[in-house]
């Protein structure tokens, strides 16, 4: 993953990764609903502590690749080693050709500053998707951002640096849909009933 440019001094990108033992709810919902199923080739962007990747492997997905910054991989080295031993692939960059049926990105975009870095990541993800492929996205909405001691970002409107040294940007459903459609994706699922839900879940399809 391209290292994001720091919006303010003191931002530590790897601090955004939290060791969850369960997958992102939207990923579980799609697997249980049959929207995601083997033998789909999957890329998990900003894989963190591999909450999604391990779950997918347990559910029978044998083509799971992940992309994460080196500092986070080092933090969770044992988990990444186990993932690789189970057949998972750890990538150093996003392929510049259609190689995946599904790209997953959960709770990552809102931690990237500036906006140009988010758009570069999205553009690369779309390039890596095959025709008909799905971009499965979850981000934290405004009502889920409750961190204390937020400092306003110098580059991003509605952006903040937290007391943990992480960046967080407030996004709305319209923001997310606009970002995906600008990169050529068609919104096929948006499980959000209001403009500012606690968690925003969207799927865009590459036609």
């Amino acid at each position: 993953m391209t290292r994001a440019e720091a919006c303010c001094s003191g931002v530590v990108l790897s601090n955004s990764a939290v060791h969850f033992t369960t997958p992102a709810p939207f990923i579980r919902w799609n697997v249980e609903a049959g929207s995601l199923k083997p033998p789909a080739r999957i890329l998990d962007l900003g894989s963190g502590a591999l909450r999604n990747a391990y779950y997918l492997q347990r559910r029978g997905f044998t083509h799971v690749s992940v992309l994460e910054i080196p500092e986070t991989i080092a933090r969770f080295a044992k988990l990444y080693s186990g993932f690789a031993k189970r057949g998972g692939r750890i990538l150093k960059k996003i392929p510049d050709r259609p190689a995946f049926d599904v790209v997953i990105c959960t709770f990552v975009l809102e931690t990237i500053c500036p906006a140009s870095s988010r758009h570069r990541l999205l553009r690369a993800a779309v390039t890596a998707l095959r025709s008909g492929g799905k971009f499965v996205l979850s981000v934290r909405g405004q009502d889920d951002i409750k961190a204390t001691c937020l400092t306003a970002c110098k580059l991003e409107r509605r952006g903040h640096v937290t007391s943990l040294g992480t960046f967080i940007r407030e996004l709305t459903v319209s923001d997310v849909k606009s970002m995906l459609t600008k990169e050529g994706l068609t919104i096929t699922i948006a499980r959000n009933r209001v403009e500012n839900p606690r968690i925003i879940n969207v799927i865009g399809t590459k036609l």
Side-chain angles (χ1 to χ4, degrees), residues 117-190:
S117 294
R118 290 195 296 274
H119 290 299
R120 282 198 300 269
L121 180 65
L122 283 173
R123 194 168 301 119
V126 173
T127 297
L129 273 176
R130 294 170 173 169
S131 178
K134 298 177 180 178
F135 184 82
V136 184
L137 176 70
S138 291
V139 300
R140 294 171 64 189
Q142 294 174 334
D143 289 346
D144 197 57
I145 299 174
K146 306 183 188 307
T148 58
C149 302
L150 295 176
T151 302
C153 173
K154 297 179 177 66
L155 299 179
E156 284 269 357
R157 185 173 64 88
R158 290 189 284 154
H160 311 277
V161 178
T162 74
S163 57
L164 292 176
T166 60
F167 173 80
I168 190 74
R169 189 198 191 281
E170 300 173 12
L171 294 170
T172 66
V173 172
S174 294
D175 292 332
V176 171
K177 288 182 176 179
S178 177
M179 284 191 293
L180 298 191
T181 54
K182 281 182 180 178
E183 300 305 332
L185 294 171
T186 298
I187 306 300
T188 50
I189 294 180

Side-chain angles (χ1 to χ4, degrees), residues 7-206:
C7 62
C8 302
S9 61
V11 171
V12 182
L13 299 178
S14 61
N15 281 356
S16 295
V18 178
H19 187 190
F20 293 102
T21 57
T22 57
F26 196 42
I27 302 305
R28 172 175 280 170
W29 179 85
N30 276 281
V31 171
E32 293 180 350
S35 303
L36 298 180
K37 55 187 176 183
R41 303 182 71 89
I42 295 182
L43 170 62
D44 187 9
L45 295 179
S47 47
L50 300 173
R51 62 186 301 195
N52 297 325
Y54 265 98
Y55 169 74
L56 292 168
Q57 286 184 325
R58 291 195 300 270
R59 293 300 298 255
F61 290 83
T62 57
H63 300 285
V64 182
S65 300
V66 299
L67 188 76
E68 185 51 272
I69 60 173
E71 292 88 345
T72 299
I73 294 175
R75 273 184 62 195
F76 303 109
K78 185 177 292 186
L79 290 173
Y80 276 84
S81 176
F83 169 72
K85 288 177 181 177
R86 291 173 175 84
R89 297 181 62 214
I90 304 169
L91 305 184
K92 293 183 178 181
K93 64 178 183 178
I94 301 175
D96 58 359
R97 66 189 187 285
F100 298 98
D101 304 302
V102 180
V103 174
I104 290 170
C105 187
T106 59
F107 309 113
V108 173
L109 281 187
E110 69 271 40
T111 69
I112 297 175
C113 177
S116 57
S117 294
R118 290 195 296 274
H119 290 299
R120 282 198 300 269
L121 180 65
L122 283 173
R123 194 168 301 119
V126 173
T127 297
L129 273 176
R130 294 170 173 169
S131 178
K134 298 177 180 178
F135 184 82
V136 184
L137 176 70
S138 291
V139 300
R140 294 171 64 189
Q142 294 174 334
D143 289 346
D144 197 57
I145 299 174
K146 306 183 188 307
T148 58
C149 302
L150 295 176
T151 302
C153 173
K154 297 179 177 66
L155 299 179
E156 284 269 357
R157 185 173 64 88
R158 290 189 284 154
H160 311 277
V161 178
T162 74
S163 57
L164 292 176
T166 60
F167 173 80
I168 190 74
R169 189 198 191 281
E170 300 173 12
L171 294 170
T172 66
V173 172
S174 294
D175 292 332
V176 171
K177 288 182 176 179
S178 177
M179 284 191 293
L180 298 191
T181 54
K182 281 182 180 178
E183 300 305 332
L185 294 171
T186 298
I187 306 300
T188 50
I189 294 180
R191 289 178 58 83
N192 315 283
R193 296 183 178 181
V194 295
E195 176 68 2
N196 294 302
R198 189 176 69 83
I199 301 296
I200 300 171
N201 297 307
V202 175
I203 293 180
T205 299
K206 182 178 180 179

